[in-house]
Amino acid sequence: SGSLKTIIDGFEFDFSPHFIYENKFQDSLKNETASRDFTINTLLMRLSNGEIIDFFGAIGDIKEQKLVWCCTPDADPVRRLRAIKFIADGFVPDEQNLKLLIDNFDISSVPTRQVRQIINSAIRKNPEITLFLVENHLLKKVPLSKLMIETLKNQRRLHLC
């Protein structure tokens, strides 16, 4: 959707040039990045000089592998699924946001195919994400895929579905 994805030194970067203009006011950029799902997705780079703009402490959150929402996790079901993907990457939400994520894990409005793609991506990165889903009673809210069934079978957790 108008963005570029690239991997540099093992890190995945998304570039969305459609909203970044050199002459925009700083407040407009801050408001734009505040609408992102997580602080780790709010970093900006001024292309003219390479300056990194970090309004929300994203660099620190990345270094500490903290998953911090810019909005509440109950705002959008796709953001809840993306949280699972970041948790599979080793990011850890704080207790309050973890509770909000678990308590509001309604993803019924997301197409099954999209849910499976996101969850399968998380499983491929870290098969132990299934343990997170089981321990937090989320597994039954996620449509099963062949990959998930195979992973749960290999982990001897299939009976928990």
Side-chain angles (χ1 to χ4, degrees):
S1 65
S3 66
L4 170 72
K5 185 175 287 199
T6 188
I7 298 175
I8 301 171
D9 293 333
F11 293 95
E12 189 175 292
F13 294 93
D14 291 323
F15 296 92
S16 300
H18 63 279
F19 72 86
I20 301 176
Y21 301 100
E22 192 66 33
N23 296 324
K24 266 195 168 187
F25 292 106
Q26 193 99 331
D27 286 345
S28 297
L29 288 175
K30 188 172 184 178
N31 289 338
E32 163 60 32
T33 55
S35 70
R36 302 298 174 98
D37 45 10
F38 307 104
T39 58
I40 59 177
N41 291 328
T42 62
L43 283 177
L44 301 172
M45 177 189 283
R46 192 174 307 279
L47 296 178
S48 61
N49 63 9
E51 173 193 5
I52 300 294
I53 303 168
D54 184 3
F55 293 116
F56 300 100
I59 292 172
D61 291 343
I62 291 168
K63 286 179 180 176
E64 296 175 26
Q65 296 223 265
K66 289 177 16 183
L67 189 60
V68 179
W69 277 260
C70 292
C71 59
T72 59
D74 60 344
D76 175 7
V78 174
R79 290 179 180 199
R80 292 179 215 129
L81 288 167
R82 285 174 45 80
I84 300 299
K85 197 169 146 184
F86 282 116
I87 291 167
D89 284 337
F91 285 87
V92 180
D94 63 45
E95 278 188 45
Q96 178 185 2
N97 282 311
L98 178 60
K99 182 173 175 15
L100 280 170
L101 173 67
I102 292 166
D103 291 349
N104 296 291
F105 200 76
D106 177 10
I107 56 171
S108 60
S109 64
V110 181
T112 300
R113 182 176 176 179
Q114 186 177 6
V115 173
R116 284 188 177 136
Q117 286 174 336
I118 294 170
I119 296 296
N120 284 347
S121 174
I123 292 171
R124 282 186 200 97
K125 287 181 181 182
N126 180 359
E128 288 301 309
I129 193 64
T130 58
L131 180 59
F132 173 86
L133 294 171
V134 167
E135 288 177 341
N136 292 290
H137 310 286
L138 301 178
L139 187 61
K140 292 184 181 196
K141 297 181 180 187
V142 175
L144 295 176
S145 66
K146 289 179 183 177
L147 176 62
M148 182 179 287
I149 291 169
E150 189 63 32
T151 302
L152 291 167
K153 182 179 165 187
N154 291 340
Q155 296 170 337
R156 303 191 190 296
R157 295 185 184 132
L158 191 56
H159 66 284
L160 299 172
C161 293

